[in-house]
Amino acid sequence: MKSETSFPPQEGAAPPSRCPDNSAFKQQRLPAWKPQLTIASVLSSFFLTGAFCLTVGVCLVLSANSVREIQIDYSDKCSHCSKLRENSSNWNKECHCSVNFTLKEDILGDIFMYYGLQNFYQNHRRYVMSRSDAQLLGRNVNIQRSYCAPFSTYRNGTPMAPCGAIANSMFNDTIDLFYNRNSSVIPVPLLKTGNSWWTDKNVKFRNPESYNLSSAFAGTARPPYWQKPAYLLDEGDERNNGFVNDDFIVWMRVSAFASFRNLYRRVRRIRYFSEGLPAGNYTFRISYNFPVTRFKGRKHVILSTVVWSGGSNPFLGIAYLVTGTAATLTGFVITGIHLKLRKKKTYFQKQ
């Protein structure tokens, strides 16, 4: 058995140093700039910030107020359909209702149609997680291992496509707009595509690969609350079906608040509507499928224009106004404190 031999330290050898290297970085000798705060620089920064925020806030509020918007609540006007939908056994029965309204002035420019929901909470944690992003990308995944339960498979084991509570609760009212011109009824042309985010349409949602869409969804079934399978969501446009359907993509982007609106259609600017919507009488014809009575909700349909700052949401402008006001008031407070202290200093110097 070998024994290790230890050598005593040599006499006169210096112990290893624990000091950092003698470099500009480790010795903190790098050039630095330390601002010297003066009363002039502090006050100018507060007042300039306040003036900038107030200017931007006023512009945003005026821009939001210039948006033309028509909002119609059809929850009570379609009450007979609402009562029919409360009974789940009537899921295959159609129910239609009409809502008339009048535009006193022309609405010019691009016009967007939204549907709005009140008291519908999409921000619940289990609801937000109840989806399979891998399935929405068109991949062959095991749905039972996802967060889609209890909307993952049927009792016989057939997987749902798409799965999850978000997809199952998709808004499915059909809303058409008609223009009553003289004695004729003219349907307003509406665009069903181009309403979703480009990143959602081209990156986050893909259909399964197959020679046709119906075979791609073979072996799956529609969610319980859906009336049509995913590959028949838009029978008029084969490219707007499956997981890349615009209405489905818009719905899957959940809202943070209980009251929200989602983009539904855009008015196609042709013929009588090349400049927008002319003044006159209009009718919304609604195929009522989405019940809201059980959660005490309300449903709206909104026609709105947009401006350079977006829609009619004054929140950002109000936020800028509040920030600008706070910065300006802070500047005045600091000015008052400075003047008071300077007078006191001058008084003691004279004494």
Side-chain angles (χ1 to χ4, degrees):
M1 182 175 180
K2 297 182 179 180
S3 60
E4 296 181 357
T5 305
S6 59
F7 297 93
Q10 298 180 359
E11 296 181 358
S17 175
R18 301 180 63 181
C19 296
D21 296 337
N22 188 19
S23 61
F25 178 77
K26 292 187 176 181
Q27 295 295 333
Q28 299 183 9
R29 294 196 301 266
L30 292 175
W33 174 70
K34 183 179 180 181
Q36 298 293 331
L37 296 179
T38 61
I39 188 63
S41 62
V42 171
L43 290 179
S44 60
S45 63
F46 273 104
F47 284 121
L48 288 176
T49 302
F52 172 78
C53 291
L54 288 174
T55 303
V56 175
V58 170
C59 293
L60 290 174
V61 171
L62 293 177
S63 177
N65 291 336
S66 65
V67 174
R68 295 288 306 279
E69 182 175 297
I70 302 296
Q71 180 171 314
I72 297 175
D73 187 331
Y74 65 93
S75 304
D76 297 331
K77 297 179 181 180
C78 300
S79 58
H80 63 287
C81 291
S82 178
K83 294 179 181 178
L84 180 70
R85 287 289 172 256
E86 290 306 315
N87 189 348
S88 59
S89 61
N90 297 326
W91 67 271
N92 59 344
K93 297 181 180 179
E94 294 185 359
C95 188
H96 302 271
C97 59
S98 299
V99 180
N100 300 319
F101 67 99
T102 302
L103 290 182
K104 297 181 180 180
E105 298 179 356
D106 297 345
I107 300 181
L108 304 178
D110 295 329
I111 301 173
F112 300 82
M113 180 188 295
Y114 301 84
Y115 62 85
L117 291 176
Q118 287 185 359
N119 208 37
F120 188 92
Y121 290 85
Q122 288 188 312
N123 54 6
H124 193 280
R125 179 176 176 271
R126 291 190 61 185
Y127 181 88
V128 174
M129 295 179 61
S130 184
R131 59 186 292 166
S132 174
D133 292 324
Q135 184 196 48
L136 298 176
L137 283 171
R139 300 173 183 172
N140 187 12
V141 295
N142 186 359
I143 301 301
Q144 294 181 348
R145 295 182 179 180
S146 66
Y147 294 101
C148 289
F151 300 102
S152 55
T153 59
Y154 286 91
R155 293 182 179 179
N156 59 1
T158 304
M160 299 180 189
C163 70
I166 307 176
N168 183 60
S169 62
M170 175 182 167
F171 183 86
N172 57 351
D173 281 0
T174 302
I175 306 173
D176 295 313
L177 180 60
F178 294 88
Y179 174 42
N180 304 317
R181 186 174 183 269
N182 298 329
S183 59
S184 59
V185 178
I186 303 172
V188 179
L190 302 174
L191 296 173
K192 297 181 179 180
T193 58
N195 301 323
S196 58
W197 291 17
W198 185 91
T199 52
D200 290 347
K201 186 80 172 181
N202 298 276
V203 179
K204 297 182 179 181
F205 293 83
R206 299 282 179 83
N207 282 326
E209 295 183 359
S210 183
Y211 62 92
N212 61 36
L213 203 56
S214 59
S215 63
F217 285 88
T220 63
R222 57 177 175 80
Y225 291 173
W226 284 29
Q227 297 177 334
K228 299 179 181 179
Y231 55 88
L232 292 178
L233 290 177
D234 188 357
E235 299 180 4
D237 188 354
E238 296 181 356
R239 298 171 298 177
N240 191 33
N241 277 306
F243 297 150
V244 296
N245 176 264
D246 272 57
D247 292 338
F248 173 69
I249 293 175
V250 170
W251 178 259
M252 292 299 291
R253 183 174 286 277
V254 297
S255 173
F257 302 99
S259 298
F260 60 92
R261 63 175 63 179
N262 285 335
L263 182 59
Y264 182 66
R265 296 288 184 267
R266 291 176 294 128
V267 175
R268 187 179 180 186
R269 298 174 62 177
I270 58 174
R271 296 180 62 191
Y272 301 106
F273 314 101
S274 59
E275 300 295 330
L277 291 180
N281 298 321
Y282 289 84
T283 301
F284 282 120
R285 293 184 183 176
I286 302 167
S287 177
Y288 198 104
N289 300 306
F290 194 87
V292 295
T293 306
R294 290 189 176 181
F295 58 87
K296 299 179 181 179
R298 310 288 298 181
K299 292 194 292 187
H300 303 83
V301 58
I302 303 108
L303 293 174
S304 176
T305 60
V306 295
V307 290
W308 62 271
S309 60
S312 61
N313 188 357
F315 173 79
L316 186 59
I318 294 175
Y320 268 101
L321 289 177
V322 172
T323 304
T325 303
T328 305
L329 290 178
T330 304
F332 281 116
V333 170
I334 294 176
T335 302
I337 295 174
H338 171 68
L339 293 177
K340 184 177 181 180
L341 294 177
R342 187 174 65 177
K343 290 180 180 179
K344 185 180 295 186
K345 183 179 180 180
T346 304
Y347 173 77
F348 283 111
Q349 286 178 352
K350 290 181 179 180
Q351 296 294 328

